[in-house]
Structures are given as C-alpha cells and as structure tokens.
Amino acid sequence: MPLIINMKDKIITLAHGSGARLTQKLISIVFAASFNMTELSDYATIEHNMVVTTDAHVIKPLFFPGGDIGRLAVTGTVNDIAVSGAVPAYLLATFIIEEGFAVSDLQKIVASMQETALEAGVRIIAGDTKVVEKHNAEGLYITTTGIGFLPPNCHLSTSKIALNDNIFINNFIGEHTIAIINSRNQLNLNPPPCSDCAPLNHLIQKMLTCSDIHFMRDATRGGIATILNEVFDDCALGIIIEESALPISSPTQAISDLLGLEPLYMANEGVIVTFAASQPRQLLSTMQNHKYGKNAARIGYVTNEVKGVYLRTSLGSLRPLPMLNADPLPRIC
Amino acid sequence: MPLIINMKDKIITLAHGSGARLTQKLISIVFAASFNMTELSDYATIEHNMVVTTDAHVIKPLFFPGGDIGRLAVTGTVNDIAVSGAVPAYLLATFIIEEGFAVSDLQKIVASMQETALEAGVRIIAGDTKVVEKHNAEGLYITTTGIGFLPPNCHLSTSKIALNDNIFINNFIGEHTIAIINSRNQLNLNPPPCSDCAPLNHLIQKMLTCSDIHFMRDATRGGIATILNEVFDDCALGIIIEESALPISSPTQAISDLLGLEPLYMANEGVIVTFAASQPRQLLSTMQNHKYGKNAARIGYVTNEVKGVYLRTSLGSLRPLPMLNADPLPRIC
C-alpha cells in the first residue's frame, strides 16, 4: 500500500500508537525511511543465532486483575522472543518514574517482574532508572529488551506459510482488553475479568518440538485480526477464520456485545496465533495439556478461496476482517 | 554504606533520578533487592563476549546546541558499551511519544539518531513506538539498548586499578550541562554553549590499543566526581585530582562561577574518565590526535596519601569531593 504523508500525519495522534494501520504508516514514513529498513520490526536476529527485541510499556492502569505493568513488561518481551522460535534468556529494563510515585508500588511492580522472570526462566541482568516531574509520566513507563537463542534449523517465517495450513490459538481472546476496560472504567463486574497476561515460552517450546510449525505471532495490540492481515500483507495467501471455532469466554462475549466491541481486534497478552501444517489433533492436545493452552482451538485455515482475511460467520456467510486504521482502546500494553 | 528505608524514601523524588547517592539507594532498596543483584548495573556481559546495556533518555529540551535527544540516545548507549572495552555493534530503540508531537520534529530526531549511528559505526536493528495522551510525556522519551562485542583478553575493571595509576579525561568538562542550562533558561549566551554529546567508541578503541588501561567510565549524570566516588567505593584506593589540570573552557568556568555550580559534578555527554598505568605522554598524544580528545589531560592519580576522593586546589590545599545525595539539575540526559 503506498503511504503518503498528508495533513493528518503532521501531528502524532493516539491512533499512531494503536498497532494498527496508522502505526504501520508512522513507522514506514519516519523510522524505516531513516533507518534504511523496509520496516521497523520489534525484533532482529544477530550473530550466534541470537534474537533481540525491545518494547515500551505504557499501560494504564498499572495494576489490573491478572497482572500489573511489571508482569506485562516481562511477558510481552518474553513472548516476542519466543514466537520467533528462540529460547528467551535475558532481559534488560528501563524505568521512567513520575515524581511522587509510591516506592511501595514500585517495589510491588519490580517483585512482580522478578516473579514472572523466574516463571519464564529468564534473568533480568541490567537496567536504568530516570525520574520525571509530576505530570510528565503517568506513574511509570517500563521498556524491556529481551535476548534469546534460536535453536539450529529453526526458521519460522511468513514465507513458510502454505495453502491448507491450519491456524491455531492457545487461549480465549479479548481477556486482557476486557480486564483493562473493567479496571479503567470502574465497571465493577463481578467476578472481575482477569487479564490473560502470561509468559508463553514454555508452551511454545513444547509446541515446536511436536509439530511442523511455520509461523507464530503473539496477538497483542490490534488483536488476532491485525496479525492475520499482516500475514496476508506478507504472503498474499487467503485466510478464513471460523466464527464458531473462536474460543471466547461468556463474560467477554457478553461485554463485547454490550459495548459493541469485536474480540478479534482486542489486544491480548497471552494469546499466540500459530500456522502449522500438522494434523490438528496432536498440536491441540499438546497445547491443551499446558496451563496456558487449555482453551486452544483450530480457528481457521489458509486458502485460495478468498483474497484477504475473512470470517465465516455462524450463519455461513463470509465477512471481510480488514486491518483497522486505529485501535479504539489506547494504552492497552 | 548501610541503606535504610526511611520516611523520605516512601515517595519517588527527582533526586532519585539524579545519578547520585539517592539513585544508588533506590536501586539498592528496590531493584537490586528484587532482582538478586548486588547492584542494578546499566550493563552486563553475556555469552560470546557480548556486552549489553540499556538507558532511558528523558532530556529537556529535546533540541539543544550540539545535539538533540536522538544524538544523545545513541551516544549515551554507544559510550556505555565502549567504556567496557567492547566494540558497539547494534542498537534497539523504543519511543514513547506524546500525542500532538510534530511528525517533522520526530523525523529530525530519528534522522539525527541515524546520522550518529553511522558516525559510531553501529546499526539500529529494531524498535517500538507507543503514544501517550497529551501531558503524559514531555514530547518524547527514548530508551536505547546497545549490544557490543568484547575483544578477547579485554577486562577493564575497578579491581585492576592500582596505586600510582594516572587518571585522564579526554575533553572539557561541564559543556553539556552549560548548554542545557542555557537552552532551558533562555539565557541567550552568545555564542551559545555547545553540548559535548559525541560517540567516543573510535577514540576509545585507539586508546585501548596504545596503552595499559585499567578502567574507563563515561561521566554523565553526577559528573567526574560521582564516577571517582564510585571507583573509591569499589576499590578503596585514594584519589587526588589536581584543580590546575582540569580542562574547563572559559565560558563554562565563568557561568559556573556566576551560578555557583561545580563543573566536577556536572553531567557530560562526551567525557570519559580513564585509569591507566601507562606513561602519560603516549596516551595523551593518542587522545589529542582524535577530534574528541583535543583537550585531553592527566587530571590526577591514585594514591594512599588520602582515604577518599580529594581535590588539590590551585592554592595547594586538599578539599574532599564527596558523592552528592542529588544532582541539582534533573532531566539532563
């Protein structure tokens, strides 16, 4: 898609940070152009089969059912490394803290990072702290950088995706978004919906040893539909998702219906989309035997029946799932 | 020094981000305690002789004579890698951008990053962007992570510092701080003082090949005096600095006298402190032949004449140079 700088792009808007089409446009116009890249990817492979990735986390609120910014900062980066096929090993972290922030909250967040790092089996090895004046950061921003090691002969890529590949996800979708909406707007849902925020590297390693996996990606900002559109942009193969196969919890479905939100576009923090050639049964059983894969499902397939990403609705009709220009919910990760 | 949490430490203050004693205390109480480290260092050495480092940059203003946040983010990280003795190779960067920020300013900053990366010979390989609402970041914060490779048998460490080592710096001190004070307070000094912000890795590589260097550190937040105190904390050897030998430009000296500031505590962005056993002449000549070492000087030595860090004043008396609790000028890097 040709990208043109127009009036609307003279000023940064929240939509530029949504992870959807406008983020791609900003990256293309500003970052990739200067850094001589085709795109500013959030990870890269360097010498010694090392994969490195970096992410800024600006979520609000800082604490939510199922996690906090500390857990999210670790899992986000661990999962980015893991979906490349690499085994995450190290994390570095920077903290931009607002003057007046409670040290006890900082201690809770840092303890949560350490607990999550232990769960994932990674070590936090270096960091930096900066403090900014009151009203110059919303409490705390954390940037994490991850380093992992790719096993020999592991090359997951959209270029390996082929016709008839099955598409899997490991978990209910939309849980993180609904948890944040509930926290942020004090909806007081009872029980409070919980974020799916979790390090998926151990699950992913099990999946990689049992199946012929072609490509994986964690469905954070922009949700499942955005990942699928990025895959289509890359490999131009059609994708059909079966509405009836989507794992969506009843509370998430009910709140989404009420608020007019679409779970396929919601950010997740513990959902990976996997393209694999293998028979569904073996991979599904591996996933369902892991605590972060209990709700795993085959949700669709790669096909030449369509050009683009489509949803086969429960009524049997095909509805396009385009990439959005912007996500309706900023500061979700 | 035993560190105790007291009332004053229940809330984060700007002083906790100054790089001085209170930053050490915060790191010790919150980060090192949770992450099972003796300290939260800003760099670490991992497999394959790789050195990794990470830094958040929250400087204001974003543009200043001699640089901008983009140049500073690259040089800060390149220099952190280089003072370990490693050759910097890769950078990753995250951008937290305030809604309403001008895309043209972002383009200038990103172009400046790329120009500085080219000068330093490093590649920017991955990144991430997030956007926060107006008034939740002061324009732009950049976190950079650097990766470098340590040559075999290169082990710079405070444990190698020995009695009679000479102490060198490569440049005028205080230039960055005076440039920022002038920009921030619109003092309209003419000509405007210029930051020393520069990638020093090529200079450092030349120094390492010609001399028996024991330890190096870039004197950013907290200035030369803070580095020297950190060295004394580590190796318990006395340090005497000769006031008459300090390279300080006339404008910096004049403005410091006027404002009652001490250049030895001022942040720099292009100054390295070097401890070396070698004869001064050879190392000084190597430094002075490089564009970022023209004002190089031997500024002092390691001694058992004193316990701590002392300044021999122009009058011949010895004055202690303790570590400050806080830097008087926040948001300097």
Side-chain angles (χ1 to χ4, degrees):
Chain A
M1 191 181 71
L3 295 169
I4 295 154
I5 300 185
N6 59 31
M7 284 301 287
K8 283 193 301 187
D9 295 317
K10 288 196 170 175
I11 295 290
I12 296 289
T13 63
L14 286 173
H16 284 114
S18 66
R21 193 66 80 188
L22 278 176
T23 303
Q24 287 189 340
K25 190 169 176 179
L26 175 71
I27 286 172
S28 170
I29 291 171
V30 177
F31 296 100
S34 279
F35 297 156
N36 296 324
M37 304 166 168
T38 49
E39 58 171 334
L40 183 74
S41 172
D42 68 351
Y43 78 94
T45 306
I46 60 169
E47 285 91 335
H48 309 297
N49 278 326
M50 285 175 68
V51 174
V52 288
T53 183
T54 194
D55 275 289
H57 304 279
V58 298
I59 191 164
K60 63 176 186 183
L62 298 177
F63 298 91
F64 47 84
D68 55 42
I69 189 174
R71 180 166 176 84
L72 189 142
V74 172
T75 60
T77 297
V78 161
N79 294 346
D80 273 350
I81 294 280
V83 293
S84 74
V87 179
Y90 302 111
L91 288 183
L92 300 88
T94 69
F95 301 82
I96 298 175
I97 313 171
E98 186 183 17
E99 188 186 19
F101 195 71
V103 171
S104 57
D105 280 345
L106 187 59
Q107 284 173 313
K108 271 185 229 161
I109 288 165
V110 170
S112 168
M113 289 183 78
Q114 176 68 3
E115 188 187 309
T116 312
L118 283 175
E119 181 186 350
V122 300
R123 273 180 54 210
I124 298 170
I125 53 171
D128 183 38
T129 58
K130 292 282 155 64
V131 179
V132 295
E133 298 88 339
K134 190 82 188 155
H135 307 306
N136 283 309
E138 208 157 355
L140 175 66
Y141 303 141
I142 300 178
T143 285
T144 36
T145 301
I147 301 172
F149 295 91
L150 212 49
N153 305 318
C154 178
H155 302 290
L156 306 186
S157 158
T158 50
S159 66
K160 296 182 79 174
I161 295 173
L163 274 182
N164 304 318
D165 270 10
N166 288 308
I167 303 170
F168 302 86
I169 61 174
N170 62 308
N171 207 351
F172 285 140
I173 61 178
E175 302 291 288
H176 178 68
T177 298
I178 295 296
I180 295 297
I181 289 176
N182 181 48
S183 296
R184 206 180 276 179
N185 301 288
Q186 300 168 324
L187 299 183
N188 297 321
L189 297 172
N190 195 358
C194 242
S195 167
D196 56 351
C197 185
L200 302 178
N201 53 317
H202 299 310
L203 167 64
I204 289 170
Q205 285 305 312
K206 281 195 197 302
M207 291 166 65
L208 285 169
T209 52
C210 88
S211 289
D212 181 15
I213 289 175
H214 291 161
F215 180 71
M216 289 178 140
R217 185 57 58 93
D218 50 332
T220 55
R221 279 187 295 185
I224 304 274
T226 300
I227 299 295
L228 298 176
N229 275 281
E230 286 171 356
V231 167
F232 176 75
D233 282 353
D234 267 17
C235 69
L237 290 167
I239 289 170
I240 291 180
I241 299 299
E242 311 276 4
E243 189 172 33
S244 59
L246 287 172
I248 302 178
S249 72
S250 312
T252 294
Q253 190 65 64
I255 297 161
S256 303
D257 289 348
L258 200 67
L259 299 176
L261 296 172
E262 168 57 88
L264 279 166
Y265 289 93
M266 287 182 183
N268 311 281
E269 288 295 335
V271 172
I272 38 166
V273 182
T274 301
F275 289 74
S278 42
Q279 289 301 309
R281 201 169 301 167
Q282 189 183 357
L283 184 55
L284 275 177
S285 124
T286 302
M287 291 165 84
Q288 286 161 352
N289 279 328
H290 191 280
K291 67 174 170 175
Y292 295 136
K294 289 205 190 312
N295 303 302
R298 171 189 174 279
I299 62 164
Y301 57 99
V302 178
T303 175
N304 55 14
E305 296 167 50
V306 293
K307 287 215 178 309
V309 182
Y310 283 80
L311 181 74
R312 194 189 317 273
T313 68
S314 326
L315 302 172
S317 63
L318 282 175
R319 172 160 79 77
L321 285 177
M323 189 176 278
L324 297 186
N325 271 330
D327 187 285
L329 202 69
R331 311 279 304 273
I332 193 83
C333 62
Chain B
M1 191 181 72
L3 294 169
I4 295 155
I5 301 186
N6 59 29
M7 284 301 289
K8 282 193 301 188
D9 295 317
K10 288 196 171 174
I11 294 290
I12 297 289
T13 63
L14 285 173
H16 284 114
S18 66
R21 193 66 80 187
L22 279 177
T23 304
Q24 288 189 340
K25 192 168 175 179
L26 175 71
I27 286 172
S28 171
I29 291 171
V30 177
F31 296 100
S34 280
F35 296 156
N36 297 324
M37 304 166 169
T38 50
E39 58 170 336
L40 182 73
S41 171
D42 67 351
Y43 78 93
T45 306
I46 60 169
E47 286 91 336
H48 308 297
N49 279 327
M50 286 177 67
V51 174
V52 288
T53 184
T54 193
D55 275 288
H57 304 279
V58 297
I59 191 165
K60 62 177 186 183
L62 298 177
F63 297 91
F64 48 85
D68 55 42
I69 189 173
R71 180 166 177 83
L72 190 142
V74 172
T75 61
T77 297
V78 161
N79 294 346
D80 273 350
I81 294 279
V83 293
S84 74
V87 179
Y90 302 112
L91 289 183
L92 299 88
T94 69
F95 301 82
I96 298 175
I97 313 170
E98 185 183 18
E99 187 186 20
F101 195 70
V103 170
S104 57
D105 280 345
L106 186 60
Q107 283 173 314
K108 272 186 227 160
I109 288 165
V110 169
S112 169
M113 290 184 77
Q114 176 67 3
E115 188 186 311
T116 312
L118 283 176
E119 181 187 350
V122 299
R123 272 181 56 211
I124 298 170
I125 52 171
D128 183 39
T129 58
K130 292 282 155 63
V131 179
V132 294
E133 297 88 339
K134 190 84 187 153
H135 307 305
N136 284 309
E138 208 157 356
L140 175 66
Y141 303 142
I142 301 179
T143 284
T144 36
T145 300
I147 301 171
F149 295 91
L150 213 49
N153 306 318
C154 178
H155 302 291
L156 307 186
S157 158
T158 51
S159 66
K160 295 182 81 175
I161 295 174
L163 276 181
N164 304 318
D165 270 11
N166 288 307
I167 304 170
F168 301 86
I169 61 174
N170 61 307
N171 206 351
F172 286 140
I173 61 177
E175 303 290 289
H176 177 68
T177 298
I178 296 296
I180 294 297
I181 289 177
N182 181 49
S183 295
R184 209 181 275 180
N185 301 288
Q186 298 169 324
L187 300 183
N188 298 320
L189 297 171
N190 194 0
C194 239
S195 168
D196 57 350
C197 185
L200 302 178
N201 53 317
H202 298 310
L203 167 64
I204 289 171
Q205 285 304 312
K206 281 195 196 302
M207 292 167 65
L208 285 169
T209 51
C210 87
S211 289
D212 181 15
I213 289 174
H214 291 159
F215 180 70
M216 291 179 139
R217 186 57 59 92
D218 50 332
T220 55
R221 279 188 294 184
I224 305 275
T226 300
I227 299 294
L228 298 176
N229 275 281
E230 286 172 355
V231 167
F232 176 74
D233 284 354
D234 267 16
C235 69
L237 289 167
I239 289 170
I240 291 180
I241 299 300
E242 311 275 6
E243 190 173 32
S244 60
L246 288 172
I248 302 179
S249 72
S250 312
T252 294
Q253 189 65 63
I255 297 160
S256 303
D257 290 348
L258 199 68
L259 299 176
L261 296 173
E262 169 57 89
L264 279 166
Y265 289 94
M266 286 181 183
N268 312 280
E269 288 296 335
V271 172
I272 38 167
V273 183
T274 301
F275 289 73
S278 43
Q279 290 302 310
R281 201 170 301 166
Q282 188 183 358
L283 184 55
L284 275 177
S285 124
T286 302
M287 291 164 85
Q288 286 161 353
N289 279 328
H290 191 279
K291 67 174 170 174
Y292 294 135
K294 289 205 190 312
N295 304 301
R298 170 188 174 279
I299 61 163
Y301 58 99
V302 178
T303 175
N304 54 14
E305 296 167 50
V306 293
K307 286 216 177 311
V309 182
Y310 283 80
L311 181 74
R312 194 188 317 272
T313 68
S314 325
L315 302 171
S317 62
L318 283 175
R319 173 160 79 77
L321 285 177
M323 188 176 278
L324 297 186
N325 270 330
D327 187 286
L329 202 70
R331 311 280 303 275
I332 193 80
C333 61

